[in-house]
């Protein structure tokens, strides 16, 4: 009887054994979970290392480059700006390249360009890039134009009265105008400094309103987008008239753009209180 009973119970035992072996062969769910946990740990480690690396990079940049200049060559890509004897965008890129070269040669400046040469980028995108880079100043380069070619000279547009960065922008604008005047430019209006506003019209469009820098009224109008949201001096310059022969010959040739860049560079040094680098022959 005992033997018979044993045979009756034997098959279930045999069934259990293969099941147990199968579980040994097949990776149990717990093991899979452990692998996933390992991946997460690796990912976390990579993120920590990346964070440390990026932090180190920022610290390095801070000490290697005490100053950050945000540089905007106006227009670009599909938007060529004003057309005259030369195109505005040619002038803006030529001057921005020359200024960037001077700042890099100096060695103390991190230069953040709002766009690549030839690239189409909206004002909002450019401005966001500048805001992210926490610059010490913003310079946007443009050129003027008119219908009959009679207009001439330099003018610049700092962040307008009422904006948090107005005072420092006005100081920087005064230095830009002063160094450009030394370079031989004729200043437009009272002192080459104006404030620009967009006045909303009934039909939904906006009309540009320009006032002299002596008008410190706080208008509730919008201003140039590139000057906004940054916690530093921000100025837009109109280097010369691309429609005026004399202006183009002075500040719209390769040499003229380099001359303007030199003046902007001198203004940047003075504004930031950075000693000029000794020139080596
Ligand atoms: Zn322009």
């Amino acid at each position: 009887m005992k033997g018979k009973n044993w045979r009756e119970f034997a098959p279930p035992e045999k069934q259990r054994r293969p099941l147990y072996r199968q579980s040994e062969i097949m990776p149990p769910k717990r093991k899979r979970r452990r692998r996933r946990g390992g991946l997460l740990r690796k990912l976390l480690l990579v993120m920590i290392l990346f964070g440390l690396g990026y932090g180190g990079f920022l610290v390095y940049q801070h000490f290697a480059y005490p100053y950050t200049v945000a540089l905007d060559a106006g227009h670009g890509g599909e938007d060529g700006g004003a057309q005259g004897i030369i195109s505005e965008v040619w002038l803006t890129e030529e001057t921005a390249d020359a200024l960037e070269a001077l700042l890099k040669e100096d060695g103390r400046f991190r230069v953040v360009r709002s766009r690549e040469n030839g690239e189409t980028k909206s004002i909002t995108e450019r401005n966001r890039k500048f805001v992210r880079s926490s610059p010490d100043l913003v310079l946007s380069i443009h050129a003027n134009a008119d219908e009959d070619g009679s207009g001439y000279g330099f003018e610049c547009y700092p962040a307008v009265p009422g904006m948090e960065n107005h005072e420092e922008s006005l100081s920087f604008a005064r230095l830009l105008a002063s160094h450009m005047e030394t370079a031989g430019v004729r200043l437009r209006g009272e002192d080459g400094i104006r404030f620009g506003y967009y006045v909303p019209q009934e039909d939904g469009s906006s009309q540009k309103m320009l006032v002299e820098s002596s008008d410190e009224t706080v208008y509730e109008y919008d201003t140039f987008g590139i000057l906004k949201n940054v916690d530093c001096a921000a100025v837009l310059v109109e280097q010369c008239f691309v429609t005026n022969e004399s202006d183009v010959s002075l500040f719209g040739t390769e040499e003229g753009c380099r001359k303007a860049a030199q003046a902007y560079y001198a203004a940047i040094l003075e504004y930031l209180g950075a000693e000029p680098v000794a020139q080596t022959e």
Side-chain angles (χ1 to χ4, degrees):
M1 287 294 280
K2 274 181 183 173
K4 200 185 174 188
N5 280 344
W6 181 84
R7 268 185 216 112
E8 275 173 359
F9 284 101
E13 257 185 8
K14 275 181 182 172
Q15 277 176 359
R16 237 178 278 136
R17 283 181 67 83
L19 274 174
Y20 176 68
R21 280 197 205 106
Q22 206 177 7
S23 70
E24 277 183 330
I25 295 159
M26 295 291 287
K29 276 185 180 175
R30 193 154 38 92
K31 274 191 178 173
R32 239 180 264 158
R33 237 180 280 136
R34 204 177 288 158
R35 270 176 61 188
R36 214 178 293 143
L39 267 176
L40 278 172
R41 269 198 293 274
K42 273 180 196 161
L43 194 67
L44 198 66
L45 189 69
V46 167
M47 282 169 74
I48 289 168
L49 285 174
F50 178 78
L52 285 173
Y54 186 65
F57 173 70
L58 290 181
V59 169
Y60 164 77
Q61 275 205 328
H62 179 74
F63 286 104
Y65 306 108
Y67 310 112
T68 300
V69 171
L71 197 51
D72 173 52
H75 308 278
E78 289 163 15
D79 170 18
Q83 287 298 319
I85 301 163
I86 54 166
S87 81
E88 183 182 355
V89 74
W90 180 86
L91 176 147
T92 69
E93 291 181 354
E94 190 74 15
T95 309
D97 284 352
L99 180 54
E100 182 177 359
L102 285 170
L103 293 168
K104 288 195 166 164
E105 202 179 308
D106 178 298
R108 291 171 290 179
F109 295 88
R110 180 167 76 103
V111 180
V112 178
R113 293 283 289 263
S114 58
R115 62 171 180 84
E116 301 285 327
N117 284 346
E119 189 184 12
T120 306
K121 222 173 190 185
S122 72
I123 298 295
T124 309
E125 287 175 300
R126 292 163 194 237
N127 179 250
R128 278 197 195 128
K129 190 173 177 188
F130 284 176
V131 172
R132 280 198 303 270
S133 66
S134 308
D136 293 294
L137 55 85
V138 170
L139 179 64
S140 177
I141 301 165
H142 284 257
N144 254 324
D146 67 4
E147 291 291 318
D148 59 5
S150 62
Y152 61 85
F154 169 92
E155 62 192 7
C156 62
Y157 294 86
V160 298
M163 285 172 78
E164 280 188 18
N165 58 341
H166 167 63
E167 285 302 327
E168 56 256 60
S169 301
L170 187 59
S171 302
F172 181 41
R174 286 195 179 116
L175 291 170
L176 286 164
S178 158
H179 282 277
M180 278 299 277
E181 197 176 23
T182 306
V185 89
R186 293 168 289 185
L187 297 179
R188 287 171 59 74
E190 289 173 0
D191 57 1
I193 302 166
R194 285 170 165 164
F195 302 132
Y197 301 94
Y198 293 112
V199 183
Q201 304 295 293
E202 280 182 6
D203 62 359
S205 66
S206 60
Q207 183 78 41
K208 214 185 260 183
M209 180 177 90
L210 309 177
V211 303
E212 296 296 330
S213 63
S214 55
D215 184 354
E216 283 277 338
T217 313
V218 177
Y219 295 99
E220 295 296 316
Y221 302 134
D222 201 7
T223 188
F224 304 123
I226 200 78
L227 308 177
K228 298 195 284 190
N229 308 316
V230 285
D231 186 22
C232 67
V235 179
L236 183 151
V237 296
E238 298 278 5
Q239 189 161 305
C240 66
F241 275 71
V242 293
T243 41
N244 181 283
E245 270 185 42
S246 165
D247 261 24
V248 170
S249 69
L250 275 170
F251 293 102
T253 59
E254 270 182 44
E255 199 200 330
C257 291
R258 274 202 300 275
K259 207 183 345 168
Q262 281 281 1
Y264 301 154
Y265 172 58
I268 289 169
L269 288 184
E270 195 174 338
Y271 174 76
L272 295 172
E275 290 295 318
V277 174
Q279 293 293 311
T280 49
E281 289 298 316

